Amino acid sequence: LTDTLVRVIKVIDVNEKPTVKDIEKDVDENLKNGTVVAEVEAFDPDTIHKTEFAQLTYAITTPDMPFDMNGNKVVVTDSSKLDFETNPKFEFYVKVTNCEYDSKGKLVAGAACLEDSAKVVLNLVDVNEKPDIKCIEGDNDCNGPFSIAENSKTGTPIHAFAITDVDAVDQGKLTVTLTDKNGRNAGELFDVSLNTAKTEATVVVKDSAKLNYEAVDSIYTVVLTVTDKDGLTDTLVRVIKVIDVNEKP
């Protein structure tokens, strides 16, 4: 003999914590602000009640990082800090949070938010950066104009400038040329001499015999161009005055 009883049991869906994968990748240095450098891959097991349980938010929890989150994307916010020579690697954590919402998308008061974190490692890749030609520190006369007496000896220095390159592989391999901005004959009168370490470029007299006030222009505008091994350049423009001196009859 038997008897039966029928009842209904409901399985209630509850919010479950998301999981997120760690990331390590290479990215170029000097990327512009707004550039996406990584995407955080997160998984939420709540695939049925997505409105209530599967709204994920992303936040970088490590302070002082030059990045921010746009959804699940890591974007650059301070490109000046993406400098291989200063800091070749960034390590930080991204927190993925899943809170509980009602069917209308409103946050449920008092409900616990669930979270997981991913470690993100971004290795900066060194890219070639242009060299720099500039005033030597403390040089108050750097802007010119500069003066040189006619008939000055070949090799007489007129003025020196610093040449630098943040790329270590380019240090000591820079070249500097002098040209006439106005297409005249400055290149026949003046040249550039580098020190042994190739950290300074000095404008010098190229040919004393040609530096004759009565036969050349009295003012020249020259362009100094520093070039690295890959052809990147920087320029500096200065004025040189040729000074007339008394000559014997």
Side-chain angles (χ1 to χ4, degrees):
L1 298 178
T2 63
D3 191 17
T4 60
L5 191 67
V6 178
R7 291 292 185 271
V8 174
I9 300 175
K10 295 182 179 181
V11 178
I12 305 299
D13 194 14
V14 297
N15 192 21
E16 298 170 88
K17 93 169 197 173
T19 56
V20 60
K21 293 182 178 180
D22 293 340
I23 299 172
E24 181 167 5
K25 63 178 298 189
D26 296 338
V27 298
D28 287 346
E29 64 171 331
N30 306 323
L31 293 175
K32 294 181 179 180
N33 288 346
T35 302
V36 176
V37 293
E39 293 190 23
V40 177
E41 184 179 344
F43 171 73
D44 193 306
D46 296 301
T47 59
I48 297 178
H49 295 97
K50 293 184 178 181
T51 300
E52 293 87 347
F53 301 139
Q55 296 189 40
L56 302 179
T57 59
Y58 301 79
I60 295 175
T61 57
T62 307
D64 301 323
M65 289 291 108
F67 311 102
D68 202 355
M69 299 302 299
N70 182 4
N72 72 323
K73 296 177 174 63
V74 182
V75 298
V76 178
T77 56
D78 188 350
S79 62
S80 67
K81 293 184 178 179
L82 269 63
D83 181 16
F84 176 86
E85 288 73 23
T86 302
N87 186 6
K89 177 185 286 190
F90 289 91
E91 296 183 6
F92 55 94
Y93 288 88
V94 174
K95 181 174 68 175
V96 180
T97 304
N98 175 3
C99 296
E100 185 176 343
Y101 297 82
D102 62 25
S103 59
K104 296 181 180 180
K106 186 177 180 180
L107 187 66
V108 175
C113 293
L114 305 177
E115 61 187 45
D116 191 20
S117 290
K119 183 180 181 180
V120 179
V121 179
L122 300 179
N123 301 303
L124 295 187
V125 176
D126 192 16
V127 299
N128 191 26
E129 298 168 90
K130 76 179 186 69
D132 193 18
I133 182 166
K134 58 187 178 181
C135 299
I136 295 174
E137 187 174 354
D139 181 3
N140 296 324
D141 299 320
C142 177
N143 292 329
F146 309 118
S147 298
I148 184 70
E150 65 170 328
N151 307 322
S152 294
K153 291 182 179 180
T154 299
T156 300
I158 298 172
H159 206 83
F161 303 91
I163 54 173
T164 62
D165 196 313
V166 297
D167 298 306
V169 295
D170 286 329
Q171 288 288 1
K173 300 177 182 179
L174 302 176
T175 60
V176 182
T177 57
L178 181 149
T179 56
D180 193 316
K181 184 180 180 182
N182 299 313
R184 297 176 181 174
N185 63 331
E188 298 177 7
L189 308 177
F190 311 111
D191 203 356
V192 177
S193 175
L194 303 183
N195 65 344
T196 302
K198 293 189 176 181
T199 57
E200 290 185 7
T202 303
V203 178
V204 299
V205 174
K206 183 176 183 179
D207 190 340
S208 175
K210 293 182 179 180
L211 194 62
N212 179 2
Y213 182 85
E214 287 72 25
V216 299
D217 295 336
S218 60
I219 297 178
Y220 287 91
T221 302
V222 299
V223 180
L224 302 175
T225 303
V226 59
T227 307
D228 71 8
K229 63 180 179 61
D230 290 329
L232 296 184
T233 63
D234 188 31
T235 60
L236 195 68
V237 178
R238 290 296 185 268
V239 171
I240 301 175
K241 295 181 178 181
V242 179
I243 305 301
D244 190 17
V245 298
N246 191 23
E247 299 172 89
K248 73 175 184 175

